[in-house]
Amino acid sequence: MRATLASLAAVLSAPASVYAQPADPQATDITAGQQRAQTCAACHGQTGISPASAFPHLAGQQASYLAKQIRDIRDGERVVVQMTGMVDDFSDQDAWNVAAYYAAQEANLGHANAEDEALLARGEEIYRAGVRSRGVPACSACHTPTGGGIGSAVYPAIAGQYPAYTMTALHAFASGERTNDPSGSMHDIATRLSEEDMQAVANYLFGLH
């Protein structure tokens, strides 16, 4: 538990510049971003609402987080097989422009499975209070109570995301397949979540807005 809380504390106390390369909002070009994002539409939808659960919704995502993911994928810091070659020719400015375009779009509004009351209640409990017995902090500490994320700290918006994609992301962090999270905090947290916990959180997030 101490290790988990220490990792989270390190992330929360670190200056945003450690994780972000902030762009002047006036310097981003949403129109250019929309044009550049045309190649993204097949998987992520024209306005960032993905038509398939294998691909994440990008609409309403924190621009700082999305720009970082584009750069990380381009530079090989994060491997996404489906995106092989898709952003190889993106400049840093392209990444910020595309991120700004998607950030300006209306986020997806999902619907959690409310029929399984125990699953929904467990998901909300984990999201808002964590799992104290296993040293799992509340998800809301970094992703905010509404799931909107914190742009200045490069914490992503996760509300309304497909449960299947959330599960994929948690599995990738837990296995070490994905390692581009600040201070390894998500790896540490995901390894302490059971499969049932992950399913509960993923379901709850889908309907959070």
Side-chain angles (χ1 to χ4, degrees):
M1 178 175 179
R2 290 181 179 177
T4 302
L5 295 180
S7 297
L8 180 61
V11 173
L12 291 173
S13 62
S17 59
V18 172
Y19 308 117
Q21 297 178 20
D24 179 353
Q26 300 302 317
T28 57
D29 187 334
I30 290 180
T31 299
Q34 181 178 16
Q35 295 172 347
R36 203 73 165 94
Q38 291 306 303
T39 56
C40 312
C43 294
H44 298 287
Q46 197 66 40
T47 61
I49 303 296
S50 174
S53 62
F55 307 108
H57 297 304
L58 303 181
Q61 184 55 267
Q62 293 288 345
S64 59
Y65 173 81
L66 186 51
K68 180 183 187 299
Q69 299 313 304
I70 292 172
R71 295 196 308 271
D72 284 355
I73 292 169
R74 178 197 65 189
D75 299 339
E77 297 296 324
R78 178 183 172 188
V79 177
V80 180
V81 175
Q82 299 94 323
M83 287 194 65
T84 301
M86 297 298 293
V87 295
D88 286 358
D89 64 341
F90 272 45
S91 66
D92 284 357
Q93 189 62 54
D94 288 333
W96 277 106
N97 289 344
V98 169
Y101 166 67
Y102 282 125
Q105 308 307 306
E106 290 292 330
N108 180 64
L109 297 180
H111 300 282
N113 176 11
E115 295 181 2
D116 189 334
E117 295 181 2
L119 181 71
L120 190 61
R122 179 58 176 166
E124 182 175 16
E125 179 184 7
I126 295 170
Y127 188 79
R128 301 196 179 283
V131 185
R132 186 174 179 80
S133 63
R134 275 179 267 142
V136 177
C139 310
S140 59
C142 290
H143 298 285
T144 78
T146 60
I150 303 174
S152 61
V154 202
Y155 298 148
I158 54 179
Q161 193 59 263
Y162 282 123
Y165 182 78
T166 297
M167 290 288 290
T168 296
L170 289 171
H171 286 151
F173 279 125
S175 69
E177 176 186 345
R178 182 172 172 184
T179 60
N180 70 331
D181 52 319
S183 301
S185 56
M186 279 305 303
H187 169 71
D188 195 20
I189 291 168
T191 57
R192 296 167 188 259
L193 291 172
S194 68
E195 187 73 9
E196 292 74 20
D197 288 340
M198 290 184 184
Q199 291 174 346
V201 170
N203 175 63
Y204 177 71
L205 284 174
F206 191 42
L208 180 63
H209 54 77

